[in-house]
Amino acid sequence: MNRHCRLSLRGPCRLKAAWFGPVLVTFLTCACAAGALSGAQVSKVNGEIQAAHAVGAHNDPQAALYLKLATDELAAAKRLSDNGEGQKARLTLERARVDAQLAIVLSKETLAREEARAALHKVRQVTMREPATRTTP
Amino acid sequence: MKRIHLKQKCQISLAAMSFACALACVKQVPSQQLVNARAYFEQAQRAPATQYALDSLYEAKRSLDEAEEAHEEDPNSYRELSLAYVAERKAQLAMARGGLAYAIDVKRNSERALVDRQQALLEMTRKDAAAVSNQLNIQAVQLQQTQTALEQERAAREVETSAQAVWASLGDIARVRSDISSTTITLDGAVMFPAGRATLLPAANDTLNRVARSIADIAPGATLKVVGHTDNQGNAANNQKLSLARAQRVADYLVQQGLDPSRIEALGVGEQFAATTNDTPEGRANNRRVELVVQQAVPSGLGSPGTVCADGKAAVPKALPPSPPVGDTNPIPIATETTPENTVVAPSRGSVH
């Protein structure tokens, strides 16, 4: 790369850079895909599971089911990773991630529905207490 | 033989190629997981609440597309199953997020409506309280007015009661008759004056002293009309003069006793207003009289049901006689009226009211 290429990516230099970027990304992707699960990937899913616990997913029957699935799939992903089956491990980890997310959202939805129902009940109570016509003395 | 063998080989190869082509042309049946993912995605698309989470629905569509691609590339593979599983969960996530957003929206709107209603109720309660307070204030003012009126009435009744008592104390020397605005004290002319004259008898002094004291005590600010009356004996014009002279004499005496002269008026009506018949000696005696009409303003709130005499009997209200022109007020002796002892029967002029 001559001096001109260092200063600006134009002409032949730009062509070289356009090839170099995708090739590098593809290489890294393949390297990652072929390898074991990283700690960051596992920690991220683990964090989702902890978050689901924090919002009380284990107390909601439907959310608890998905939380259990997420926990089991996380363990399975770790096992697959340990056995060298990186691609299956990543796919299983993704399943664990979406299950944990679903557990969180379902738990929040249940709570929000209860709060909305309570708010509606209060509105109805106030509406019932309010007289239809009021006479001013 | 060799030829046949080659021909058979060609046929077999052709058949194998045809079978391979047929296999390639037949589309692979999707996995149950992918079928489920498609169904969940369609359900998510139809769910109204998903409109609250369109980004999640779009994400689910992308995952479903990846699963479909995996199915095309490698049917029923672990990748296809896993991606279909993820697509199914993302469709569920889209629905759950939509439900969550909808519930939050409902809750927020309900809370806003609740606040609005509570504010409206509070405002109505404030208005009601103000109205009640206003009503209470009005009632308090009315109560105060009623109490004041009652106190005034009580005080007036006390004054009236004491006045009645004072008037009643004059019962041994005069006849007293009260109505709403005036009290009339009738003095017997025979006791007050000698026959036909306008000079006071000594006994009249004591009577007029008591009357003057009573008027000064009870009605110091009242106006007083002293009205002289005669019977119908003798000349009417002379009777008129005599009655006026007697009234004037009584008025002068009352002024001497301390009553305000500006509030005293003397009238002589002669025989015009007979109290009773002039056909009998007793009747004529009753008609010879001097009336003291005490007039005072009626206090507000004081209502007198009717005319009451000092002796407690109901009295017939009589119209006050019209004021005749006041002539000479000097007491002059006129010897035209008959004395009670004078029983000469004179022709009756008829009773006058």
Side-chain angles (χ1 to χ4, degrees):
Chain A
M1 192 175 289
N2 57 24
R3 188 169 175 270
H4 178 71
C5 290
R6 275 195 216 115
L7 293 176
S8 64
L9 295 175
R10 287 181 183 173
C13 298
R14 184 182 178 188
L15 191 61
K16 285 178 187 174
W19 278 104
F20 180 73
V23 167
L24 180 62
V25 170
T26 307
F27 174 75
L28 290 174
T29 305
C30 291
C32 290
L37 292 177
S38 68
Q41 288 172 315
V42 174
S43 294
K44 188 175 179 183
V45 176
N46 206 15
E48 301 260 17
I49 291 172
Q50 296 302 320
H53 274 290
V55 297
H58 53 283
N59 295 324
D60 183 279
Q62 200 181 2
L65 170 66
Y66 293 107
L67 181 59
K68 174 76 167 54
L69 286 172
T71 308
D72 293 346
E73 282 158 353
L74 177 61
K78 285 178 183 173
R79 275 197 308 274
L80 288 168
S81 179
D82 292 343
N83 293 337
E85 296 181 273
Q87 189 179 7
K88 281 188 176 180
R90 271 184 303 284
L91 289 169
T92 307
L93 191 66
E94 180 64 10
R95 291 165 64 152
R97 190 177 71 84
V98 291
D99 276 331
Q101 284 180 348
L102 188 56
I104 292 171
V105 175
L106 284 175
S107 183
K108 286 182 178 176
E109 186 195 9
T110 303
L111 186 64
R113 281 183 188 277
E114 286 174 3
E115 289 176 351
R117 198 173 294 119
L120 276 174
H121 183 64
K122 279 184 185 174
V123 172
R124 286 198 193 99
Q125 277 185 327
V126 171
T127 309
M128 286 173 68
R129 273 209 308 270
E130 187 177 339
T133 57
R134 297 176 73 88
T135 56
T136 304
Chain B
M1 188 69 187
K2 232 178 184 181
R3 252 181 153 177
I4 294 170
H5 186 64
L6 186 61
K7 190 177 179 181
Q8 282 178 341
K9 276 185 177 178
C10 287
Q11 285 176 346
I12 290 168
S13 298
L14 193 62
M17 285 174 65
S18 302
F19 183 70
C21 288
L23 278 179
C25 292
V26 172
K27 196 168 185 178
Q28 286 295 323
V29 177
S31 65
Q32 186 59 42
Q33 195 69 56
L34 185 57
V35 171
N36 288 346
R38 288 171 181 166
Y40 269 108
F41 181 73
E42 286 178 8
Q43 186 182 347
Q45 273 186 314
R46 287 195 303 269
T50 315
Q51 301 305 314
Y52 287 86
L54 288 176
D55 52 344
S56 296
L57 188 66
Y58 177 68
E59 200 177 335
K61 178 72 173 70
R62 283 180 57 191
S63 294
L64 182 62
D65 289 343
E66 285 181 15
E68 295 283 5
E69 284 175 17
H71 170 68
E72 293 291 334
E73 291 170 4
D74 191 4
N76 293 321
S77 63
Y78 188 83
R79 184 165 176 266
E80 179 204 329
L81 294 177
S82 294
L83 291 177
Y85 183 94
V86 170
E88 177 187 327
R89 289 292 182 268
K90 287 194 175 177
Q92 288 177 292
L93 264 173
M95 286 189 284
R97 282 181 178 143
L100 173 63
Y102 176 72
I104 289 172
D105 197 37
V106 168
K107 180 189 165 193
R108 191 181 298 124
N109 289 339
S110 299
E111 286 173 346
R112 195 177 298 131
L114 188 64
V115 169
D116 290 346
R117 284 186 182 279
Q118 283 176 340
Q119 282 180 343
L121 276 177
L122 188 62
E123 187 62 28
M124 291 172 79
T125 307
R126 277 184 188 152
K127 283 183 181 174
D128 286 353
V132 169
S133 175
N134 191 27
Q135 192 71 16
L136 285 175
N137 288 338
I138 291 171
Q139 287 178 353
V141 170
Q142 288 174 345
L143 182 63
Q144 184 66 32
Q145 288 174 348
T146 305
Q147 284 178 343
T148 306
L150 282 173
E151 286 172 4
Q152 288 177 348
E153 187 176 346
R154 192 184 307 118
R157 285 192 187 283
E158 286 174 0
V159 169
E160 188 183 5
T161 303
S162 62
Q164 293 288 353
V166 171
W167 297 138
S169 69
L170 298 176
D172 57 335
I173 56 170
R175 291 192 306 276
V176 182
R177 189 177 67 239
S178 297
D179 60 19
I180 292 175
S181 60
S182 66
T183 300
T184 303
I185 304 166
T186 304
L187 302 173
D188 189 355
V191 177
M192 301 288 293
F193 299 98
R197 295 178 66 85
T199 54
L200 290 169
L201 291 170
N205 293 340
D206 183 50
T207 300
L208 289 177
N209 287 343
R210 287 176 60 187
V211 169
R213 275 200 305 274
S214 299
I215 291 171
D217 290 344
I218 298 168
T223 60
L224 179 64
K225 284 184 180 176
V226 183
V227 186
H229 296 266
T230 65
D231 59 14
N232 64 347
Q233 302 300 301
N235 182 278
N238 288 337
N239 284 341
Q240 170 75 28
K241 289 180 182 176
L242 177 62
S243 65
L244 178 60
R246 286 178 170 177
Q248 188 61 52
R249 185 69 194 96
V250 169
D252 291 343
Y253 188 86
L254 292 176
V255 170
Q256 288 172 10
Q257 296 306 309
L259 296 187
D260 184 0
S262 65
R263 296 178 185 275
I264 298 178
E265 182 183 5
L267 304 173
V269 295
E271 58 188 66
Q272 293 180 53
F273 300 99
T276 182
T277 178
N278 281 306
D279 294 341
T280 63
E282 293 80 12
R284 288 192 292 275
N286 284 331
N287 287 335
R288 293 189 297 272
R289 66 197 190 277
V290 174
E291 289 180 346
L292 306 177
V293 182
V294 183
Q295 288 183 314
Q296 54 188 349
V298 180
S300 62
L302 177 60
S304 179
T307 305
V308 179
C309 291
D311 55 3
K313 295 179 181 175
V316 178
K318 292 185 72 174
L320 197 67
S323 300
V326 179
D328 186 6
T329 56
N330 290 331
I332 50 173
I334 300 169
T336 55
E337 186 189 35
T338 58
T339 62
E341 296 81 21
N342 186 1
T343 56
V344 176
V345 178
S348 174
R349 291 173 146 185
S351 61
V352 187
H353 60 82

